[in-house]
Every structure is written in C-alpha cells, then in structure tokens.
Amino acid sequence: MRTLLNLIWLVLGGIWLAAAYFIAGIIGCLLIVTIPAGIASFRMARYVLWPFGAIVVKKPNAGAGSAVMNVVWFVTVGWILVVVHIITALTQAVTIVGIANAVVSIMMIPVTAFPFGKDVLDKDDPRAAYQTSLVQWR
C-alpha cells in the first residue's frame, strides 16, 4: 500500500517538490555557512520524494545550533518551500484522489519550515518505534 500511495504522490506533485528541495540544496551548498542547510535540503528532498512509510522525529540532542540553523534556513529558503507546499496542496486538492496528497503536503510544512533538530526515519526502524512511544507517553 505504501508503494501505491508513494507512486500517486510522486505523480501528483512529489517530483516537483523534490526538485524544489534539490535546487534549494544546490543553492545552500554554494556558501560555506549554508552547507548544513544544503545537506538538510537534500535530506528533505528524499523525504518529500517518497513520504509514505517515513516518520519525522525530534532529535534528542538538538540544541541551540539547530535553532540558529532553523532561523537561517527559514530566512533563506524555508519560506519559499512553504509557499511551494501550499501551491502544490492547492493544485492537488482539485481532484478527489489528490485531496489526501494535499493533506500530506500541508502536514509537511512544519518540517519544511524548521528541519533542523528533526530526523526522518523509516517507520520500520526501531528508533522510530522508540521515538513514537516517547511521544505517546509525554
């Protein structure tokens, strides 16, 4: 089922979102200061390309550096990618099949805006199960 959902996602906008993240990653890697943002963008491109079956969890050791990089990210490319997600969600919501994809695109916005301090894991990864059990007990 994950594969089918991912293929539908890919056709209805995932490829364009991943391309936007890839371009942002290339731009981020041009300057030395923004190389971490470029790497985060490549990581997010992989997640946006194939989102079903993945989970985003908070990194337990994220600190002030992640907060600073989130500000740099949002000011440089984060807000642009948020707008791209909103436009993609609006175009996906035109069809009945695309409504579910539009919801997923909107749910990705918090991670898109502030990706540092978060990790993308496969749902079958034991670390993902551990992190989600922590969230349930908090």
Side-chain angles (χ1 to χ4, degrees):
M1 190 64 167
R2 288 181 193 172
T3 305
L4 179 63
L5 291 172
N6 280 320
L7 288 173
I8 292 171
W9 168 264
L10 193 65
V11 170
L12 293 179
I15 191 81
W16 303 112
L17 284 170
Y21 279 95
F22 188 75
I23 291 168
I26 291 171
I27 293 169
C29 287
L30 291 177
L31 299 173
I32 293 173
V33 176
T34 56
I35 287 176
I39 293 170
S41 185
F42 291 137
R43 185 182 68 217
M44 291 298 299
R46 188 176 56 101
Y47 170 58
V48 169
L49 191 62
W50 210 253
F52 294 98
I55 187 169
V56 178
V57 295
K58 290 184 178 181
K59 288 183 182 178
N61 57 354
S66 294
V68 169
M69 282 309 297
N70 275 329
V71 171
V72 170
W73 169 269
F74 189 78
V75 169
T76 55
V77 295
W79 68 273
I80 296 168
L81 292 172
V82 167
V83 170
V84 170
H85 269 281
I86 291 170
I87 292 169
T88 302
L90 290 174
T91 57
Q92 288 172 333
V94 172
T95 66
I96 293 174
V97 175
I99 291 173
N101 286 338
V103 170
V104 170
S105 186
I106 295 297
M107 289 174 57
M108 287 181 180
I109 288 177
V111 179
T112 298
F114 307 107
F116 292 93
K118 296 179 179 90
D119 201 8
V120 179
L121 302 173
D122 188 16
K123 283 188 179 180
D124 298 331
D125 190 332
R127 295 176 296 165
Y130 176 73
Q131 289 291 336
T132 55
S133 67
L134 287 179
V135 171
Q136 292 172 355
W137 288 102
R138 288 184 187 167

